[in-house]
Amino acid sequence: MLQSKKRWNVQECDEQLVNEFVENLNITPLVASLLLNRGMTTVEAAREFLHVDIQTFHDPFLLHDMDKAVARIQQAIDHNEKIMIYGDYDADGVSSTSVMLSALQQLGADVDFYIPNRFTEGYGPNKAAFDKISAGGYQLVITVDTGISAVEETAYARELNFDLIITDHHEPGPVLPDAYAIIHPKLPGSTYPFKELAGVGVAFKLAHALLGELPEHLLELAVIGTIADLVPLVDENRLIARKGLDYLKLTKRTGIEALLSVCGVKREEINEDTIGFAMAPRINAVGRLQDADPAVHLLMTTNAEEAKGLAKEIDTLNKERQQIVNDITEEAVEFVESMYPPNENSVLIVEGEGWNAGVVGIVASRLVEKFYRPTIVLSVDSENRIAKGSARSIEGFDLFANLSKCRDILPHFGGHPMAAGMTLNSDDVEELRRRLNEQASNVLTEQDFIPITSVDIVCTTEEITLENIEQMSALAPFGMHNPKPKVLIKDVHTTSMRKIGANKNHLKLVFEDSGVSVDAVGFGLGYILDEVSPIAKVSLVGELSINEWNNMRKPQLMVEDISVDEWQMFDYRSAVDVKRFFQQVFTDQMKVVAFHASTIDKYKSLLPMEHVVLIQNEEQAKACMFAGEQIVLLDLPPSQRWLECLFVQGIPSRIYAIFLTEEDHYFDTIPTRDHFKWFYGFLAKKGPFDLKRYKEDLAIHKGWSKETIDFMAKVFFELEFVTINNGLISLVKNSAKRDLIESATYRQKQQQIEIEKNFIYTSYVQLKNQFQDIFKRSIE
């Protein structure tokens, strides 16, 4: 067997609806199933999802306070009041700020922006910033992607006599700020049709309302925050993402062109991954290491030289950020493993003195990936006794809800069910750890700590076609709630498998079923080669893609996980390098079974003795519990019956066959009954015979080996046909007639020959079949 890394949650769908979709939408059954699994339960809903061009944006005035906010902003523009956009330092906040700046500049407003410094000010509005804004003569402040938790700061804004309009999408708390207007899709009692807008989505809605028509030219900005903030890519977010990517390919923004250049991305190659893995990490890197202002300047500039310089600066900051993340992650992993091991902690809270607070969210994500526990990573300032950090969660543990129960020790926090940010007194970290672990123990089970892969559909090799894969692209852009489709291919044979890459850490394979072969690649899965036996049937989970090379297009599976449901045989019999096996193949999950103490003695220096089991009789074999275990058969037992006894408790998951032997019985000269008859007659004619002196001469005369003569002499002795005294062998007169099989030595020789024939001198397939038969007899 080979256990998959994750739990495979295979979705099911109504076959009747699948057929209805196929008939009405002219799509393949595979794509129809994917649409159903994404919640499209009617033909009309599926048609809208597939054809984004027929969808429309919701009326922005359906958002609470939108009319009030628009009127106040228009008043400020008409009276030439100074307006400040108060943003956030991540990609969503930067793109939100840029959207509002662009819209207000288009309307002729006197507008500027302010983004707090992550390190000196922290997340969200703060009183010191409001003091500066007020002193600058600003009479209207509009927050974007922030502010819904700023209850005290909003009250302070009133004291400073400027109006505050909050636009945000983070979870509202039990008490809302007393702002001039709050535009938020999740406000209690909100009737807005879609609740899951990103911060930039809310800003885009305000821009739409202000401009009086859909600002399609701002979609190239809105798509950045929408994809970067990992909001569900459905409904309006899907519309923003799909249309925004199209506009991004045609961008005239000098800063975006420069950013794409340092990312090494061509316009025609732009997709959701361009934002998620190239643009957003670089934009985020600025606010993670310093003031985020350069990121806004990059998106807003019209000067090519300035754009080029800013893009290069941002790219350099991103490389610096990557190194910092690697260093902190290494420290954090050591902290967890030495101080708070995952098997004893349902929630991991890791703190480090002076860690860069701007990257702790990334570190938290990496720890979740490694340990699969809800994780909080905190940067501690011991001088001021403050801990700032970010949290990431797993399925089944709502971070925002559980952190809300700890409000008394969390003066500042906000976020979503799967991610959050916070600031607290460093003295309260241990109490937070205790509370969250207690809360987690009440809602999480052992099963919850096994990562989940949601599989969209089980498909056959015959369904892996260019047409199916091309139709799947109609579901793009992919993201939260609309992930790239994952397929499961069950129980197929591999026709080739090898390690690839400079470090041989990737896997290249070809699998086949029903006469159809498909290429597959598994990045980081090179180790699997040693864990899949030659004829095992494998099940594969991954994403389908099209491999284009040398003007040829072929379907390909990008493998993410592999399992083998049957027990496996690994053959290390032929010229086995025992040292290499125990140094490179052996793992702590294996148990080494030996039937001869002499074998253990001979290879003792190589063997992991704490994993070695010596079996010296059938009763010891029957007592072994090897069901589901990985066992290494170091040598062969005296008879096949011992192997049958070995598996009465159950079948192992893997058998590694080495079968070391000191003697090669199968290819020995095997004495026949005529050999024994001649030897008996010889002893009767010659009388006592000195084996020590004349055995070699006799062997040469007959063309036998000396071992053959010793063997026959021992059999005769056991049958009481002869006596042997100091090498002198003599017949016993009038001895009773007995069959050769009555000799223990003769029987053992026959058994050894038979077991070597069945287990050493057989093909791989024959060997596996031998064990299949043994398992059947063991169970019987």
Side-chain angles (χ1 to χ4, degrees):
M1 295 183 71
L2 173 63
Q3 185 66 45
S4 58
K5 295 183 297 182
K6 298 183 178 181
R7 287 180 286 155
W8 296 351
N9 181 20
V10 183
Q11 300 185 56
E12 298 179 358
C13 53
D14 187 322
E15 285 301 318
Q16 184 176 340
L17 281 175
V18 169
N19 295 331
E20 187 179 336
F21 278 24
V22 170
E23 186 176 330
N24 286 278
L25 298 171
N26 193 29
I27 56 178
T28 65
L30 187 63
V31 174
S33 299
L34 293 172
L35 287 166
L36 283 165
N37 289 339
R38 279 153 174 71
M40 311 299 148
T41 55
T42 66
V43 170
E44 190 54 39
R47 182 178 284 111
E48 285 188 11
F49 190 85
L50 288 172
H51 303 288
V52 179
D53 53 305
I54 66 175
Q55 296 181 46
T56 57
F57 284 93
H58 302 306
D59 182 351
F61 286 97
L62 293 175
L63 283 160
H64 178 73
D65 275 356
M66 181 64 82
D67 52 351
K68 189 177 180 181
V70 169
R72 178 66 184 88
I73 295 169
Q74 192 59 56
Q75 177 189 327
I77 296 171
D78 292 343
H79 292 83
N80 202 30
E81 295 178 46
K82 296 179 72 174
I83 303 173
M84 178 66 76
I85 310 302
Y86 194 106
D88 187 27
Y89 34 64
D90 65 1
D92 190 13
V94 166
S95 57
S96 300
T97 302
S98 301
V99 163
M100 284 311 305
L101 280 172
S102 298
L104 291 175
Q105 286 175 357
Q106 185 176 336
L107 291 169
D110 181 359
V111 61
D112 202 351
F113 76 94
Y114 184 96
I115 294 179
N117 182 289
R118 182 192 295 262
F119 306 99
T120 59
E121 297 175 79
Y123 172 77
N126 65 83
K127 293 179 181 179
F130 279 0
D131 283 334
K132 294 177 187 175
I133 292 169
S134 179
Y138 291 90
Q139 294 146 293
L140 177 62
V141 175
I142 306 169
T143 73
V144 288
D145 190 35
T146 188
I148 196 62
S149 299
V151 176
E152 291 185 17
E153 291 78 8
T154 301
Y156 189 64
R158 283 189 173 276
E159 293 178 19
L160 295 174
N161 293 316
F162 63 77
D163 289 330
L164 181 65
I165 296 173
I166 293 174
T167 76
D168 200 355
H169 73 122
H170 294 93
E171 295 293 327
V175 179
L176 295 177
D178 185 18
Y180 183 89
I182 299 178
I183 301 173
H184 194 303
K186 290 185 179 179
L187 285 182
S190 172
T191 58
Y192 192 72
F194 184 57
K195 311 294 185 185
E196 303 297 334
L197 289 168
V200 73
V202 181
F204 183 79
K205 301 305 293 187
L206 179 54
H208 184 180
L210 282 167
L211 295 171
E213 60 182 8
L214 185 72
E216 294 204 2
H217 62 291
L218 298 180
L219 283 167
E220 62 184 334
L221 294 172
V223 68
I224 295 173
T226 297
I227 290 177
D229 216 49
L230 302 179
V231 291
L233 289 190
V234 296
D235 203 279
E236 271 192 312
N237 287 340
R238 176 170 170 77
L239 197 52
I240 290 171
R242 186 71 170 265
K243 288 179 173 289
L245 287 170
D246 290 340
Y247 276 96
L248 204 57
K249 292 177 182 178
L250 303 171
T251 187
K252 299 296 183 188
R253 284 187 176 260
T254 309
I256 290 180
E257 289 179 324
L259 183 59
L260 289 171
S261 177
V262 297
C263 292
V265 176
K266 298 176 181 177
R267 285 175 181 265
E268 62 272 18
E269 296 173 349
I270 290 174
N271 58 24
E272 62 271 27
D273 289 341
T274 304
I275 294 173
F277 299 106
M279 297 176 71
R282 287 170 170 82
I283 293 172
N284 280 325
V286 186
R288 293 186 188 282
L289 300 186
Q290 60 173 46
D291 285 328
D293 292 17
V296 177
H297 291 312
L298 175 66
L299 295 182
M300 296 298 295
T301 186
T302 57
N303 183 290
E305 283 304 311
E306 182 187 19
K308 185 177 179 181
L310 286 169
K312 186 176 180 180
E313 176 190 344
I314 287 172
D315 188 54
T316 301
L317 286 170
N318 187 53
K319 291 174 182 175
E320 183 182 342
R321 186 271 307 167
Q322 289 172 330
Q323 186 58 54
I324 293 171
V325 167
N326 291 337
D327 292 343
I328 295 178
T329 300
E330 189 175 322
E331 290 182 47
V333 168
E334 184 179 347
F335 182 94
V336 169
E337 292 176 339
S338 61
M339 299 289 291
Y340 298 98
N343 61 331
E344 298 175 9
N345 290 268
S346 299
V347 177
L348 303 179
I349 299 183
V350 185
E351 69 263 29
E353 180 74 31
W355 282 352
N356 186 307
V359 302
V360 291
I362 303 174
V363 176
S365 295
R366 290 196 179 181
L367 294 185
V368 170
E369 185 177 338
K370 181 175 179 62
F371 299 114
Y372 204 67
R373 296 285 191 279
T375 301
I376 299 175
V377 180
L378 298 166
S379 173
V380 176
D381 177 354
S382 57
E383 184 177 339
N384 295 308
R385 296 167 61 193
I386 292 174
K388 294 181 181 179
S390 291
R392 300 292 184 269
S393 196
I394 64 174
E395 291 293 331
F397 191 78
D398 186 324
L399 261 181
F400 186 81
N402 281 281
L403 287 171
S404 295
K405 297 176 183 178
C406 306
R407 285 181 179 276
D408 58 310
I409 57 172
L410 290 174
H412 299 284
F413 86 96
H416 311 286
M418 298 298 288
M422 71 209 65
T423 301
L424 68 157
N425 189 305
S426 58
D427 295 338
D428 292 327
V429 171
E430 190 57 44
E431 175 62 13
L432 181 65
R433 180 181 286 116
R434 186 194 66 77
R435 290 191 196 181
L436 290 180
N437 268 287
E438 183 178 325
Q439 290 165 211
S441 66
N442 293 328
V443 295
L444 296 175
T445 66
E446 284 301 315
Q447 192 79 350
D448 290 320
F449 295 125
I450 301 173
I452 301 173
T453 289
S454 185
V455 177
D456 290 277
I457 193 167
V458 178
C459 72
T460 65
T461 53
E462 294 163 302
E463 292 176 297
I464 303 176
T465 64
L466 291 175
E467 181 190 8
N468 265 327
I469 298 171
E470 285 167 345
Q471 280 201 16
M472 282 183 189
S473 65
L475 277 65
F478 299 111
M480 295 294 288
H481 291 207
N482 181 34
K484 289 183 179 179
K486 285 188 172 56
V487 301
L488 166 61
I489 295 95
K490 295 188 69 174
D491 297 331
V492 292
H493 286 291
T494 58
T495 56
S496 73
M497 189 180 296
R498 59 192 174 90
K499 295 180 182 181
I500 60 172
N503 298 317
K504 301 297 181 185
N505 56 337
H506 309 306
L507 189 68
K508 171 76 174 177
L509 65 148
V510 178
F511 60 89
E512 185 270 340
D513 192 38
S514 303
V516 179
S517 295
V518 179
D519 293 343
V521 175
F523 289 108
L525 297 180
Y527 69 92
I528 295 254
L529 180 66
D530 300 321
E531 300 195 34
V532 177
S533 56
I535 62 172
K537 288 185 175 182
V538 301
S539 294
L540 308 158
V541 165
E543 297 174 0
L544 293 174
S545 63
I546 296 175
N547 182 22
E548 300 189 32
W549 182 78
N550 203 21
N551 295 321
M552 291 186 64
R553 303 172 79 238
K554 292 176 62 178
Q556 178 176 256
L557 180 71
M558 306 307 294
V559 183
E560 295 181 10
D561 209 352
I562 300 179
S563 76
V564 177
D565 292 334
E566 60 188 0
W567 78 273
Q568 295 191 85
M569 167 68 67
F570 294 87
D571 190 355
Y572 286 89
R573 296 172 298 169
S574 178
V576 63
D577 180 348
V578 183
K579 183 176 182 179
R580 188 187 72 82
F581 176 85
F582 284 106
Q583 287 183 345
Q584 299 180 19
V585 180
F586 182 85
T587 69
D588 287 342
Q589 283 74 48
M590 299 179 191
K591 292 181 180 177
V592 182
V593 176
F595 299 98
H596 304 280
S598 57
T599 308
I600 295 174
D601 289 340
K602 184 174 180 179
Y603 294 96
K604 191 171 185 177
S605 62
L606 300 177
L607 298 177
M609 294 304 296
E610 66 275 17
H611 295 275
V612 174
V613 179
L614 175 62
I615 296 172
Q616 295 182 299
N617 55 57
E618 291 185 10
E619 291 306 312
Q620 288 180 351
K622 288 179 181 178
C624 290
M625 299 285 290
F626 289 143
E629 299 280 354
Q630 301 179 30
I631 65 169
V632 180
L633 294 178
L634 192 63
D635 55 16
L636 280 170
S639 78
Q640 190 165 305
R641 174 62 188 160
W642 286 37
L643 289 175
E644 293 171 10
C645 294
L646 195 63
F647 304 119
V648 295
Q649 305 277 9
I651 297 172
S653 63
R654 301 183 194 176
I655 292 178
Y656 293 83
I658 295 181
F659 297 150
L660 299 168
T661 57
E662 294 192 24
E663 296 181 61
D664 202 338
H665 298 275
Y666 185 68
F667 289 106
D668 280 353
T669 302
I670 305 172
T672 65
R673 290 186 179 274
D674 286 341
H675 289 128
F676 280 102
K677 184 177 180 181
W678 185 93
F679 190 42
Y680 189 90
F682 171 78
L683 293 175
K685 183 178 179 180
K686 293 292 184 179
F689 182 75
D690 192 337
L691 289 171
K692 287 184 177 181
R693 292 181 63 186
Y694 302 114
K695 176 171 55 177
E696 187 172 354
D697 294 337
L698 179 60
I700 293 171
H701 173 70
K702 293 295 294 180
W704 295 343
S705 68
K706 290 183 288 182
E707 288 75 18
T708 298
I709 297 170
D710 286 336
F711 174 72
M712 290 191 294
K714 189 174 182 181
V715 171
F716 281 168
F717 180 79
E718 289 179 357
L719 295 174
E720 298 179 342
F721 291 170
V722 300
T723 60
I724 301 176
N725 185 16
N726 199 26
L728 193 66
I729 183 169
S730 305
L731 283 178
V732 174
K733 293 180 180 180
N734 303 319
S735 59
K737 286 188 175 182
R738 300 176 67 182
D739 195 282
L740 293 173
I741 201 68
E742 294 182 58
S743 162
T745 297
Y746 188 85
R747 288 198 308 275
Q748 185 177 354
K749 183 75 170 180
Q750 292 297 96
Q751 290 172 350
Q752 286 294 331
I753 291 169
E754 185 68 15
I755 201 169
E756 286 182 13
K757 181 182 77 173
N758 291 339
F759 292 91
I760 295 182
Y761 303 107
T762 56
S763 68
Y764 174 88
V765 173
Q766 290 171 326
L767 179 63
K768 186 165 187 183
N769 288 338
Q770 284 284 351
F771 275 97
Q772 292 279 40
D773 292 340
I774 285 173
F775 294 156
K776 289 179 184 177
R777 290 194 293 273
S778 297
I779 295 171
E780 294 169 0

